[in-house]
Each structure stands twice: as structure tokens, then as C-alpha cells.
Amino acid sequence: MVNHGPGRKSTSSKEGLSVYGLFQRFACTPQGRNQLKQMFLRPSVELDVINERNSFIGVYLRTDNFNPFDKMVKGLKHIKNLHYVMINLRKGISTGSGKIMGFKATVWATLLAVDIDSSEEQGRTVVKPGIDRDLDRIKDRYDGLNSLLKQVAIEIATTIPESYDIDVNVVYFPQLGFNIAIPLNNARDAAYRGAENEWELMFSTENRAYLKDFRMREMDDKLGDIYGIICEREIEIVYDLAQRVLQYEEVLLEASDICGQIDSSYKLVRPKMVQEDVIKIKGGRWEGMQHLVQENQSHNTQHNSFVPAESAELGIIDKILVKSNTQDSVSQIQSTFMNDLQQLSFDLKQVTGHSLLLIDEFGKGTNEYDGIGLACGVLENLLNREDAPKVIAATHFHEILANGYLKPRPQLQLGHMEVRVHEEPGEAEDQITYLYKCAAMNGISQTIVDRANEIAALSARGENLIAACAVLSAQETQALEDAVG
């Protein structure tokens, strides 16, 4: 499989056009998506591993396991990738919502005894109450600081003469301790410095001076840098708890990976896996994989997926290589045909006897005769290889077979698209089921189908489709008149 990954201008989190890109939305957990991607990029070629995975899925698909399986799938949405959690634990839980979110909505929120909401609000790790008695007592003291500071401020205010007419506050700053906040006078100095100017000036701001007296120093000695003490104690608790958790790192990571394996599993019919290079699919259907070609079902199987079919016998495939039509773009330096040649050249170099090569309309981007010659040359090369891969090629070059350019041989099997014919209708035109009629049979709105039928009829008569599409219907005309009115 050639996976070009994210586009040049897209972020790494956006998956480009690939088989994994179609399936990643079914995985709920980060580790499930990672494992699913690795299974698609590097499918196992060990038959025992594939059968073991399919047996594992078969247990959960049993009817009597439906309810437990449904609950388990819903529960997987809350499982985080513990590999990243363990990395953060080894580094030490730090600030920032990115690391905190690794624990939120998981068992870690309870196991680590971390107050997630308070941690996000304060930008640091906050330990829940009830974990450490000494920490709880210090926090209670810190929470009661406001009333204590208010009481001390009132006491200090009574010592200041009324003639000063100033407001006094006592504030606490982490690392700076307790200070008396006094307004500045016209000289940009503290309006009051104590009865004998014994208060020591610590620092000033735009409109206040912060000073210390014997009361402030006494509070510094008794209470200390209380906020810093709380932070240090919480760091010690979390670090100690992290070391205890890391003792079980191997078991926890294994459990996380198992959740990823379960999350990356899919449902449908179990195929028979064989060593021979075969692809035998009977009654293949889409069922939720409308964007995935049936040939890719063999690759699905090897990453432990069942296939949407009545039955399937599949050989081991080490990779799927695709040569599909290249979209025209003025931003590309090379021509579309040159891009097709480079893509097929890469495929031919990478292909092995266990590979599946899909070729769609190769050679149509150049002169018809050159295209036929190149297509025949590629197919002859593949057919004559001693260790030939499985190849499914689609082409409109009927001349290849009509003129005998590609000789029949046992390893070459031919197929063609079928036309569905209804025997009941009397008119010959009504016997053929065209694409827009298939659309009606598969639930497309009848209005859309009728419009498609009308456009097809206009095209058959050679009329101007642009002019026809520009004509408004009666309903559209009325809606336009109502909007203008």
C-alpha cells in the first residue's frame, strides 16, 4: 500500500488519503489508532498471528457476547494511552493543561490523588484533600489567612493617628512573606512608617509602599512562606506516588496495549487464511466500507479484520501497491502521464510474490498506441516473473485482447463489468439498468434520479447542457421571487 500520508500543507494530525484514513474513526483510543495504523502499514505475514487475531475477534462477535462487547467498546472511549502518561510521570508532573489532560477522565484522576480541576485552574499540580494530614493542616491555615490578615490590619490601624486618614492592609506574597501596605504621599514615599519610623520599607509599587514591622516578622517566623511550603509538599507527595506507580509500569503498559488491540478490531465474516497466493471472495459486499475496494479486503484481514463477504479464502499479502489515476493540477511540475509512470515504476520495484498490485487505466494519459504498448509491456513483465505477484488491472484498451497483443495463458484470467438486464420491460431501452437507475435502487432521492435521467436525455440529443442547467425550475423561480419581494 502506498500511503502518501498528510498533505504538504496539512498538520501531522490529519491523515491523508489512505486505507487507514478510512478506518481510524472507528478506533476510540489513541493507542488503538496507533496500533491500527501500524497494522495497515506493516501487516503481519505470519499465518499463526493472523489466525490468533481472528479467533480473538470471533469470541467477541458471538451473540451471547454482544452486550459485554458493546459496554467494552463504550468504555474504551475513556482509556488514554498510558505510554505518554508514563513518560510524564518519569519527567515529573509539571504545569500545563497538556500533561494534566493525560490524567483527566481516567482512572488516573483517582489513582494519582490529583485534584484535576484545581490543577488546571492554578497551573500546577494540586493534591486532593485527605491524602496527607500535615498538608491538609497547612492548607487550612492558608485558607484562614484572610481573616487573620484582616484582624492584624485592624490592630495596626488603631496605632496610626487619625490625622493621617489612610487605609491599612496586611498582605501575603509568596517568597516575600507578610507586609503592611501603606498608600504613598505626594512625595512618592510611604505615608506612614510607624511611630518612630521603625517600619522597614521592603518595596514600592505605583501607589503603595510595602513595609515590615515586628508583627510581620513574627508572622514570617511562625507561619513561614506558607504557599511555598504547600507547593513543595505537594511535589514530594506526587513524586513519591509517581515512583510507586512506575513500579507497575510494565503491567500498566501491557493493559493499555491490550485495550488498543481490542479497539483496533473490526467485525464481519472470518476468512480462511492460507499460504497459497490466492484471493477467493464470494458474495463480497460494502456494508460500511463504501469507500474501500473489495480487493483491499485481503489487506483488511491481515490486520486482524473480518471481511464483508459470504466467504473468503485469502493468501498472505505483504503489501498492497496501487497505480491509480493521477489528478491533473497546474501546481505539478511534471505531466500527469509522467507521474503515472513514476508511480508504476515505484510499484514494480517494490512488488514481491506476496504482494497485491492494483492497476487502474494505466497508459490512457498519452497517445493511444503508446498507451497500449506500455500497458502490454507492464503486464507481460509481471506475467513472466518467476515470483509473480497478484495483479488486478482495469483498462479500456480492448485492442490488447482483440488484436492478440497479450497472449492467453493459465495465470491470466479475464473479467468484465456486467450489464444488468430486466426481462420484464417491453422496451429495449428500459431493459438496461444505467448508473442513475442503480442510484434509485440504492436509496438516492427520486428527484436527483429524475434530474439525472433528464440530463442524460439532453446529452444523448446533443443539446447544450450548460444552458439546460442554467434554467430555474418553477419551484426555484418562486423561491427567488419570494426572496426578492
Side-chain angles (χ1 to χ4, degrees):
M1 177 179 67
V2 179
N3 177 15
H4 297 286
R8 182 176 298 178
K9 295 184 179 180
S10 65
T11 62
S12 59
S13 61
K14 293 183 179 179
E15 177 64 22
L17 181 61
S18 66
V19 180
Y20 165 72
L22 301 175
F23 282 87
Q24 62 173 337
R25 64 189 181 90
F26 294 107
C28 303
T29 65
Q31 62 269 37
R33 286 188 287 271
N34 290 340
Q35 192 152 15
L36 181 64
K37 187 171 187 177
Q38 292 304 314
M39 288 177 177
F40 274 120
L41 292 177
R42 299 177 181 86
S44 175
V45 295
E46 298 294 332
L47 199 57
D48 292 339
V49 174
I50 299 171
N51 286 328
E52 181 181 355
R53 290 174 177 173
N54 286 331
S55 297
F56 175 80
I57 299 172
V59 173
Y60 287 100
L61 293 184
R62 286 167 45 183
T63 306
D64 52 342
N65 286 335
F66 176 79
N67 290 331
F69 180 76
D70 185 58
K71 292 180 180 179
M72 183 170 60
V73 170
K74 292 179 180 178
L76 287 172
K77 297 179 181 179
H78 305 290
I79 303 296
K80 304 299 181 182
N81 191 344
L82 295 191
H83 286 270
Y84 298 109
V85 175
M86 293 300 172
I87 291 174
N88 287 335
L89 285 179
R90 287 193 175 279
K91 291 180 179 179
I93 305 172
S94 185
T95 59
S97 60
K99 294 179 181 178
I100 293 296
M101 289 304 292
F103 303 102
K104 195 169 185 179
T106 69
V107 67
W108 294 102
T110 302
L111 181 61
L112 290 182
V114 174
D115 189 332
I116 302 297
D117 295 331
S118 298
S119 297
E120 288 185 295
E121 181 181 346
Q122 299 184 31
R124 65 181 186 85
T125 303
V126 178
V127 175
K128 287 182 177 180
I131 301 300
D132 184 87
R133 291 184 179 181
D134 293 337
L135 177 62
D136 291 343
R137 281 195 293 267
I138 299 173
K139 284 187 173 182
D140 290 340
R141 194 180 304 163
Y142 180 77
D143 292 338
L145 273 184
N146 284 336
S147 60
L148 175 62
L149 298 180
K150 183 178 180 181
Q151 181 180 348
V152 175
I154 293 174
E155 180 182 336
I156 294 174
T158 59
T159 65
I160 301 176
E162 294 184 3
S163 59
Y164 281 90
D165 190 25
I166 58 175
D167 61 297
V168 179
N169 290 308
V170 175
V171 295
Y172 165 76
F173 294 106
Q175 299 182 354
L176 299 178
F178 299 89
N179 296 270
I180 304 172
I182 298 293
L184 300 179
N185 55 25
N186 294 333
R188 308 301 298 170
D189 191 13
Y192 186 76
R193 285 175 171 266
E196 299 179 1
N197 288 336
E198 74 276 13
W199 293 1
E200 181 183 359
L201 177 65
M202 305 307 297
F203 63 94
S204 298
T205 60
E206 185 177 352
N207 52 14
R208 284 188 178 272
Y210 294 86
L211 309 99
K212 283 186 182 290
D213 69 348
F214 70 93
R215 302 178 189 85
M216 301 300 104
R217 300 192 184 283
E218 183 179 352
M219 293 172 66
D220 286 342
D221 293 339
K222 289 186 176 181
L223 297 177
D225 186 9
I226 189 168
Y227 183 81
I229 294 173
I230 291 173
C231 293
E232 291 176 0
R233 182 56 186 157
E234 287 183 324
I235 291 174
E236 292 175 359
I237 292 172
V238 172
Y239 177 80
D240 179 66
L241 188 54
Q243 299 310 305
R244 296 185 185 185
V245 172
L246 287 172
Q247 294 178 6
Y248 305 95
E249 179 179 9
E250 185 176 344
V251 176
L252 292 170
L253 291 179
E254 185 178 356
S256 176
D257 291 339
I258 290 175
C259 290
Q261 292 174 9
I262 296 174
D263 190 34
S264 61
S265 302
Y266 289 99
K267 321 161 183 68
L268 299 173
V269 176
R270 176 174 180 170
K272 179 182 178 181
M273 302 301 301
V274 296
Q275 291 289 355
E276 293 78 15
D277 291 328
V278 296
I279 300 179
K280 296 180 181 179
I281 299 175
K282 180 181 179 181
R285 59 188 185 276
W286 302 101
E287 276 193 13
M289 302 184 185
Q290 290 90 342
H291 304 289
L292 190 64
V293 294
Q294 182 173 338
E295 291 79 11
N296 280 348
Q297 292 173 357
S298 56
H299 200 260
N300 270 353
T301 303
Q302 283 180 235
H303 86 276
N304 69 300
S305 174
F306 287 16
V307 297
E310 294 178 6
S311 64
E313 182 178 349
L314 305 172
I316 300 296
I317 293 180
D318 57 3
K319 62 176 73 75
I320 294 180
L321 299 164
V322 180
K323 205 312 289 172
S324 58
N325 291 331
T326 304
Q327 296 294 327
D328 294 326
S329 175
V330 294
S331 64
Q332 294 179 345
I333 299 176
Q334 297 173 325
S335 67
T336 300
F337 181 62
M338 179 59 70
N339 287 329
D340 287 348
L341 288 174
Q342 291 182 344
Q343 190 181 87
L344 188 58
S345 174
F346 172 84
D347 292 345
L348 293 176
K349 293 176 182 177
Q350 297 293 323
V351 74
T352 70
H354 290 292
S355 301
L356 171 62
L357 176 59
L358 306 178
I359 302 176
D360 181 31
E361 298 291 352
F362 175 68
K364 75 170 188 177
T366 185
N367 176 276
E368 180 179 1
Y369 298 107
D370 293 339
I372 292 173
L374 285 169
C376 286
V378 169
L379 294 175
E380 280 287 354
N381 174 271
L382 293 168
L383 286 167
N384 293 331
R385 290 193 178 193
E386 183 176 347
D387 191 17
K390 294 176 282 291
V391 180
I392 299 178
T395 181
H396 280 95
F397 291 141
H398 302 289
E399 296 85 351
I400 293 177
L401 300 175
N403 297 326
Y405 297 146
L406 199 60
K407 301 299 182 183
R409 63 200 78 182
Q411 61 267 44
L412 177 63
Q413 298 182 16
L414 304 178
H416 58 83
M417 299 298 294
E418 291 184 348
V419 177
R420 183 172 178 177
V421 178
H422 294 278
E423 300 293 346
E424 297 179 0
E427 298 294 331
E429 292 184 357
D430 295 332
Q431 292 181 349
I432 306 297
T433 301
Y434 294 99
L435 180 59
Y436 56 86
K437 294 186 179 180
C438 292
M441 297 168 59
N442 287 276
I444 300 298
S445 171
Q446 188 60 42
T447 303
I448 297 176
V449 175
D450 291 342
R451 181 59 172 167
N453 194 2
E454 180 182 347
I455 296 297
L458 292 173
S459 177
R461 294 196 297 268
E463 298 188 20
N464 189 334
L465 296 182
I466 297 178
C469 292
V471 177
L472 298 178
S473 65
Q475 185 178 1
E476 291 172 334
T477 303
Q478 184 61 44
L480 181 60
E481 292 176 354
D482 294 341
V484 174

